[in-house]
Amino acid sequence: MNRVAVVVLGDIGRSPRMQYHSMSLSKLENTKVTLIGYRESEPHPQIVNNDSIDIEPLKPFPLSMSNSFKKIPFISMLIWPVLAVCKVLFQIIQLMYVLLIKVPSPLNTILVQSPPAIPTIFVMQIVCWLRGVNLVIDWHNLGYTLLKLSLHKSDNHPIIRLAKFIERYFAKNAYAHLFVTNEMKIQLVRDWNLKGKTFVFHDKASPIFKRLTDREQEEFLKTFITKYSIKGEDKVYIESAISKKSIKIPKQQTSIIISSTSWTQDEDFSILLDAIVKYDIEHVVRKNKINNGGEDRGEQDEEVLAENLLFIITGKGPQKEYYQEKINSLLLKKSRIITVWLDSEDYPKLLACCDLGVSLHNSSSGIDLPMKVVDMFGCCLPVLAIDFKCIQELVKVDHNGFLFKDSDQLHQLLNQLFTHPLNQNTLNNGNINGNLVLEGMRKNLSKDRETDTWESNWLTIKPLFISSSSSSKSKKD
């Protein structure tokens, strides 16, 4: 028997890459997988209903600092360090208990997601030493950079320096390392002197992310309205988008744009909100001028068809309430914004119903990539992504998306894709200009999807888990 423990010190349901690893591992011959993490949201049915995967849920730390205490700096300074230390000790004890006692023998390999690096990598090294198993670290980002962002501290702050030391020291002797970008591999192998085997393993969408037919999209959007209690103007916009898919050339087109987020500080949603407001104001003002006859003949020549835009933002996170208040205060005429938390099986279907995706992920380290974009590409959904150091390893301009640096550039891209000259050709043909650009990108993504899959890429790291199993058996023999 080959057993692999997959560890994520986070919500399993919101950790797609580790769920995909678990699914792939479960397909190995004579292999059982123990998936360890918080079960705050339901994992995908292919995880829950898989006989080869056992889920060991972790208990969340029972104490938290209330918002009222956070608003009092002196009390916050006293309480936060105590709670932080207690939380880490709680996590260490729980992880040790689960991995040393609850996970049955033989255990051959531990695959752990990092970050969070503290205390996971430290605990994993101890467990691997005690149980004589191999440790594989799947690097999604650098933990100390996320800590620096959340605490608003510099690299030279003692806490950040300690976190970086712990992450580097306990990670470097792992059996193998997986990296989400080539830039990350180069930097960590060079600067941290990592030992063991190293693989660049770009995120790839699971087969559950796929393109839907127009009929399937219509059916799901109707279900979406009912299941998530969409009402009022939001419902009108979705029904308009449905008619666009069925009639093809409706009187007023409505496109759906989606963005998924964890509502954290590495995503500045004010960029998207500002771009939406600019798009809205520009075309409302333009329409009013046209209705009033225009100030001169030149304005009349500029008449265009600007699509209505429905923005759906999915996810949970600490800044959601802050941005929800901002969204509620907007007085939009050409756009609507819906925030919703989706069941895991509905998220891929909704992506497949959309016309465009937006990613505001701005890496804390500069060397990781947003998984949300990968999932969008899996559904053949073109993406507008904020530009940073290594994003071009994923988003290829004019092939599968566009890049922007600020709200002005995002606004320009929305205009480019969803504003059409109003002439006889526009009235007779709904798929023009920006729509043709997006359709061309969808075709590119569909071709990429045929060969560049999670399964084909996972074959490159498959030997890590087979060889560890075989070596363990040979040692016993």
Side-chain angles (χ1 to χ4, degrees), residues 415-472:
N415 264 338
Q416 178 183 331
L417 296 170
F418 299 110
T419 302
H420 320 298
L422 189 57
N423 51 41
Q424 195 60 39
N425 186 39
T426 308
L427 298 174
N428 293 335
N429 184 357
N431 290 319
I432 61 169
N433 297 342
N435 289 338
L436 284 179
V437 171
L438 293 176
E439 186 56 36
M441 289 182 175
R442 278 190 283 269
K443 289 178 181 178
N444 293 337
L445 286 164
S446 183
K447 290 178 183 177
D448 294 343
R449 191 85 168 99
E450 291 174 4
T451 54
D452 194 17
T453 64
W454 172 273
E455 290 85 353
S456 62
N457 280 268
W458 203 82
L459 291 176
T460 62
I461 64 170
K462 178 180 176 181
L464 289 175
F465 305 100
I466 294 177
S467 62
S468 64
S469 172
S470 302
S471 63
S472 296

Side-chain angles (χ1 to χ4, degrees), residues 84-121:
V85 171
C86 291
K87 182 177 181 179
V88 169
L89 291 174
F90 179 84
Q91 291 171 332
I92 290 173
I93 293 170
Q94 188 171 194
L95 285 169
M96 295 281 281
Y97 171 73
V98 170
L99 285 161
L100 291 177
I101 296 176
K102 299 203 74 175
V103 177
S105 296
L107 175 63
N108 306 103
T109 308
I110 294 177
L111 171 63
V112 62
Q113 172 185 306
S114 182
I118 299 174
T120 45
I121 294 178

Side-chain angles (χ1 to χ4, degrees), residues 169-333:
Y169 180 80
F170 287 100
K172 70 177 183 179
N173 291 316
Y175 171 70
H177 305 267
L178 311 179
F179 306 96
V180 294
T181 66
N182 188 57
E183 185 66 32
M184 183 181 289
K185 175 184 174 180
I186 292 171
Q187 182 171 313
L188 292 190
V189 170
R190 179 192 64 215
D191 298 344
W192 287 14
N193 192 29
L194 296 183
K195 311 296 182 184
K197 303 176 181 181
T198 57
F199 298 84
V200 176
F201 187 69
H202 287 115
D203 281 319
K204 301 296 174 185
S206 161
I208 63 178
F209 290 88
K210 58 185 179 181
R211 196 169 183 179
L212 299 180
T213 65
D214 286 344
R215 181 62 182 274
E216 289 171 333
Q217 292 180 42
E218 293 170 37
E219 291 176 354
F220 176 75
L221 287 175
K222 290 175 182 176
T223 302
F224 176 78
I225 290 173
T226 304
K227 183 173 180 179
Y228 294 96
S229 301
I230 307 300
K231 299 175 183 177
E233 280 295 305
D234 295 339
K235 181 180 178 182
V236 171
Y237 268 60
I238 294 179
E239 289 173 341
S240 175
I242 293 173
S243 70
K244 173 184 173 181
K245 297 177 186 300
S246 56
I247 302 173
K248 297 299 183 185
I249 314 173
K251 196 170 184 180
Q252 172 62 63
Q253 294 200 17
T254 298
S255 290
I256 304 177
I257 301 174
I258 191 167
S259 184
S260 60
T261 178
S262 298
W263 298 106
T264 51
Q265 291 177 324
D266 60 355
E267 292 181 300
D268 183 1
F269 259 81
S270 63
I271 293 174
L272 176 59
L273 299 185
D274 288 347
I276 295 172
V277 169
K278 289 172 183 175
Y279 179 90
D280 206 82
I281 291 175
E282 175 182 349
H283 295 295
V284 169
V285 170
R286 185 194 296 268
K287 183 178 179 181
N288 289 339
K289 285 183 177 180
I290 291 171
N291 289 341
N292 293 330
E295 295 177 1
D296 55 47
R297 187 169 183 83
E299 286 182 356
Q300 190 68 31
D301 293 337
E302 295 175 357
E303 189 172 355
V304 297
L305 172 64
E307 296 190 31
N308 289 335
L309 301 181
L310 173 63
F311 293 85
I312 301 178
I313 305 176
T314 72
K316 292 179 180 178
Q319 290 193 312
K320 181 176 181 180
E321 186 176 333
Y322 167 77
Y323 280 110
Q324 188 66 62
E325 290 180 4
K326 281 194 165 189
I327 291 169
N328 293 341
S329 68
L330 299 178
L331 300 175
L332 302 173
K333 301 293 185 182

